[in-house]
Amino acid sequence: MDSSVRGGNPSSIPNTSHGISELADQHSRVLELPPVAAASNLPADNNRVPADVAVSVQQNPHDAEPHSTKFPLPVDSEYKAKRIKLFSLAQPHMRSFHISWFSFFVCFVSSFAAAPLLPVIRDNLNLRKEEIGKAGIASVCGSIASRLVMGFACDIVGPRYAGACAILLTAPAVFYMATVSTATGFILCRFFIGFSLATFVTCQFWMASMFSAPIVGLTTGITSGCGNLGGGAAQLLMPVLFDLIASPSFIGSPGFTAWRLSFFVPGIVQVLMGIIMLACTQDTPLGNYRQLRKKGNRIKDSYVKVIINGVNNYRTWVLGMIYGFCFGVELTIDNVIAEYFFDKFGLTLFVAGVVASIFGLANFVTRPFGGALSDFVGQRFGMRGRLWVLWILQTLGGVFCIILPLAGSLGPAVAIMIVFAIFVEGAGGATTSIIPFVSRRSLGLVSGISGAGGNVGAMLTQLLFFTNPSISMETGLTNMGIMSICCTIVVATLYFPQWGGMFFGPSKSSDATEESYYGREWSAEEESLGMHHASMKFAQNSKGERGRRRSSPADGAEVLPSRNRVASSATPPFMSSPQESDLRLP
């Protein structure tokens, strides 16, 4: 049983107006700013708890006694925060929020630090166009496998260890970039640095574990957007570092040495963030995986079953393909846009980097916009609304990718690039808002496969359109936009029996419920041990995805079908007994 004691219910958001103004009003309630008055100034009331404190008491299926925990934010029955307090670093929710996005940001900077310096690097290493293209492919190809592994690792060992390992193990490749002297060495460095982009999976997994379903789109949008901001920051920061190091008034290094020394800055910051992640965060609201298992509050899941469950869900692969043509297109643009403006409009290295940085820096607004819009429409039209938002944003992104190379002067080209960024990056936020609903048991693996899909898309688009010397940059952008529009059609194949899809409503079957959908991920033996308990909580908290339809033919049923047998959605009776609370899988 769960109770959150708080002055006000943030999840009850009135429908006072329509359109963009309502979207902004709704999320201003969720994004909690520092209180105007101190809690000590509140009137005395024995039944009242200060507004910035939430107390949750819940019966855990593996605890003999109810678990009482105090959080600085209101939480739901899974101890997930129902609000975002942006200017807080409080443990556990907001600290994980900020450390996860900044770690991803730093890894993004490291991965794309070479892109704005390419005009200098290509002269120093005598790189041909095809070699530059291969290096760009390598930078995103490296994280395909690492994201798949990262998703699995998050499910098994938790996001804290998984993320910190990815950050620390790839840092040496950033430092080694300062020593490369051949095209092969340059390509290999970009390949291994790209492994660090697997921190995207950590970021998404953590947010889905820390924040409740009604705001999961906003939280994943903000964290992934701020992380992707690193692509724009790299375009801006690396030329500045280069100019400082090469400046006679600062260090005065030759140009071919200055670009190498520049890589030490992101490398050092990356090492620091890996250490901070290990020392200052925790896997879940209630603690780290290892501690919870020692206390008996978390049973170690089966590696094989986690993989099989995630891989067998076709929605995992469809979302991976979709993400390949929003985030994948974004990665490709990050690799080529500075060179495009440098060559087409005759800009200096610094100015080309500043202009190109706008595309990546737009993530600060565009990704959260996509996630918030998905949440907003989802509250009214459910999952079907989320799917329509994703299709519209990504299709318009493809349209403006086609329009971009048609601009003949700098001003219109920058304006079109900004509009292009709004839609293609917003589509990324809309995609990540859907991923947490695909699977509760294999959330990490689903996030990993979907994230890897983004890198596969980037690899394909760069290989097809930006490595062949006979294909101009303008033609490559046009073809990439057409391909993106065509591949986005697969959104129409996504269907959830309990919620429906783009063109079809929910199933009328009596077992088309959230409990049934997530309960099928567990066997009868696992349910008898209470391993499905968290999934049932998530099922209850995800009923908002029905939109205005708040009832189901199976609502009120005491049992739910789970593959070929019937299992209770409640905690097994014996689990409430202290004598049975230490049951484990054999």
Side-chain angles (χ1 to χ4, degrees):
M1 179 176 180
D2 173 81
S3 61
S4 287
V5 183
R6 183 179 172 84
N9 183 3
S11 63
S12 300
I13 301 172
N15 298 327
T16 58
S17 59
H18 299 281
I20 297 300
S21 62
E22 184 176 2
L23 173 62
D25 177 68
Q26 170 188 323
H27 288 287
S28 68
R29 297 169 183 264
V30 173
L31 293 171
E32 184 174 309
L33 299 178
V36 176
S40 60
N41 295 329
L42 293 172
D45 187 345
N46 293 334
N47 297 322
R48 181 170 181 173
V49 176
D52 61 344
V53 175
V55 180
S56 289
V57 180
Q58 181 174 6
Q59 178 68 45
N60 187 291
H62 307 298
D63 288 344
E65 300 295 335
H67 185 89
S68 178
T69 306
K70 186 178 290 185
F71 296 102
L73 292 173
V75 297
D76 62 14
S77 61
E78 298 178 272
Y79 303 104
K80 296 180 180 179
K82 297 193 286 185
R83 278 193 181 181
I84 306 171
K85 199 170 184 179
L86 283 178
F87 302 107
S88 170
L89 284 172
Q91 183 83 304
H93 303 95
M94 295 313 303
R95 188 174 299 179
S96 298
F97 177 92
H98 287 296
I99 291 179
S100 65
W101 77 255
F102 192 71
S103 298
F104 183 36
F105 170 89
V106 171
C107 291
F108 223 112
V109 171
S110 298
S111 296
F112 291 93
L117 301 179
L118 275 175
V120 177
I121 296 174
R122 69 186 179 187
D123 292 340
N124 186 195
L125 302 181
N126 297 316
L127 301 177
R128 301 188 303 273
K129 180 178 180 178
E130 54 267 33
E131 291 170 336
I132 294 174
K134 289 177 181 178
I137 294 171
S139 69
V140 296
C141 186
S143 64
I144 294 175
S146 65
R147 287 190 172 193
L148 292 173
V149 173
M150 180 64 74
F152 175 72
C154 285
D155 282 322
I156 302 302
V157 302
R160 175 172 157 266
Y161 273 130
C165 286
I167 294 170
L168 295 174
L169 292 176
T170 55
V174 183
F175 294 113
Y176 189 75
M177 182 67 86
T179 68
V180 297
S181 57
T182 64
T184 301
F186 179 68
I187 293 170
L188 287 174
C189 275
R190 296 211 65 186
F191 175 76
F192 286 112
I193 295 172
F195 276 61
S196 66
L197 291 179
T199 48
F200 163 80
V201 179
T202 307
C203 196
Q204 299 307 292
F205 183 93
W206 231 334
M207 294 307 97
S209 301
M210 290 286 183
F211 293 90
S212 63
I215 61 169
V216 69
L218 180 63
T219 54
T220 57
I222 292 175
T223 51
S224 61
C226 291
N228 287 4
L229 201 67
Q235 304 281 358
L236 184 63
L237 293 175
M238 296 308 292
V240 171
L241 288 173
F242 173 82
D243 287 343
L244 283 174
I245 295 171
S247 173
S249 59
F250 190 63
I251 295 180
S253 296
F256 287 171
T257 302
W259 74 262
R260 299 173 184 275
L261 296 177
S262 300
F263 278 86
F264 280 90
V265 175
I268 292 171
V269 178
Q270 187 168 322
V271 171
L272 291 175
M273 286 311 302
I275 296 172
I276 290 172
M277 182 177 286
L278 278 175
C280 302
T281 63
Q282 62 187 52
D283 294 315
T284 74
L286 295 181
N288 295 317
Y289 280 18
R290 187 175 181 180
Q291 295 170 339
L292 293 174
R293 285 168 182 155
K294 285 183 177 179
K295 294 177 181 178
N297 292 341
R298 185 181 183 91
I299 297 178
K300 190 173 183 179
D301 207 345
S302 165
Y303 301 165
V304 175
K305 290 184 178 180
V306 167
I307 294 174
I308 292 175
N309 182 67
V311 169
N312 284 345
N313 194 322
Y314 84 94
R315 299 167 192 84
T316 302
W317 303 101
V318 173
L319 285 169
M321 180 176 179
I322 294 168
Y323 202 57
F325 291 94
C326 53
F327 183 62
V329 168
E330 181 184 342
L331 289 178
T332 299
I333 294 295
D334 284 334
N335 269 324
V336 304
I337 195 67
E339 187 180 8
Y340 172 74
F341 279 108
F342 180 87
D343 292 334
K344 183 168 184 175
F345 300 108
L347 305 179
T348 64
L349 181 65
F350 175 75
V351 174
V354 171
V355 172
S357 71
I358 296 173
F359 183 83
L361 293 174
N363 272 289
F364 185 74
V365 175
T366 54
R367 274 263 181 162
F369 164 73
L373 182 62
S374 180
D375 286 344
F376 175 78
V377 175
Q379 287 190 359
R380 284 145 184 79
F381 304 103
M383 179 58 67
R384 301 183 69 186
R386 290 186 187 270
L387 296 175
W388 275 103
V389 166
L390 172 56
W391 178 79
I392 291 170
L393 288 176
Q394 190 153 314
T395 299
L396 289 175
V399 170
F400 281 93
C401 185
I402 296 171
I403 296 174
L404 177 60
L406 301 179
S409 57
L410 181 61
V414 173
I416 294 170
M417 181 186 70
I418 292 173
V419 178
F420 172 36
I422 292 173
F423 291 118
V424 74
E425 293 166 5
T431 305
T432 57
S433 74
I434 296 172
I435 290 172
F437 297 100
V438 172
S439 172
R440 176 63 176 80
R441 184 176 191 177
S442 304
L443 172 61
L445 187 65
V446 173
S447 299
I449 292 175
S450 301
N455 293 77
V456 171
M459 179 186 70
L460 287 175
T461 52
Q462 289 185 74
L463 182 64
L464 292 174
F465 307 129
F466 299 101
T467 57
N468 191 334
S470 63
I471 300 178
S472 67
M473 192 79 76
E474 290 82 357
T475 302
L477 290 170
T478 300
N479 292 339
M480 184 168 67
I482 294 172
M483 189 174 183
S484 178
I485 292 172
C486 294
C487 292
T488 303
I489 296 174
V490 300
V491 176
T493 67
L494 289 172
Y495 183 82
F496 294 84
Q498 70 275 33
W499 300 319
M502 283 181 66
F503 299 108
F504 301 98
S507 171
K508 295 182 179 179
S509 172
S510 61
D511 68 344
T513 65
E514 291 79 4
E515 290 84 359
S516 178
Y517 179 82
Y518 295 109
R520 289 191 178 97
E521 297 182 335
W522 303 95
S523 68
E525 180 184 7
E526 290 165 338
E527 287 186 348
S528 70
L529 294 172
M531 293 180 68
H532 71 312
H533 187 78
S535 293
M536 294 302 99
K537 290 182 188 176
F538 182 78
Q540 288 292 324
N541 293 328
S542 65
K543 289 184 185 293
E545 296 307 306
R546 299 177 182 181
R548 290 173 178 160
R549 179 188 68 89
R550 298 298 181 183
S551 62
S552 168
D555 279 353
E558 295 183 359
V559 296
L560 63 97
S562 196
R563 293 201 180 124
N564 58 351
R565 83 279 174 208
V566 176
S568 172
S569 64
T571 304
F574 66 81
M575 294 306 289
S576 61
S577 169
Q579 288 79 13
E580 299 291 335
S581 62
D582 292 329
L583 285 176
R584 299 292 180 273
L585 282 177

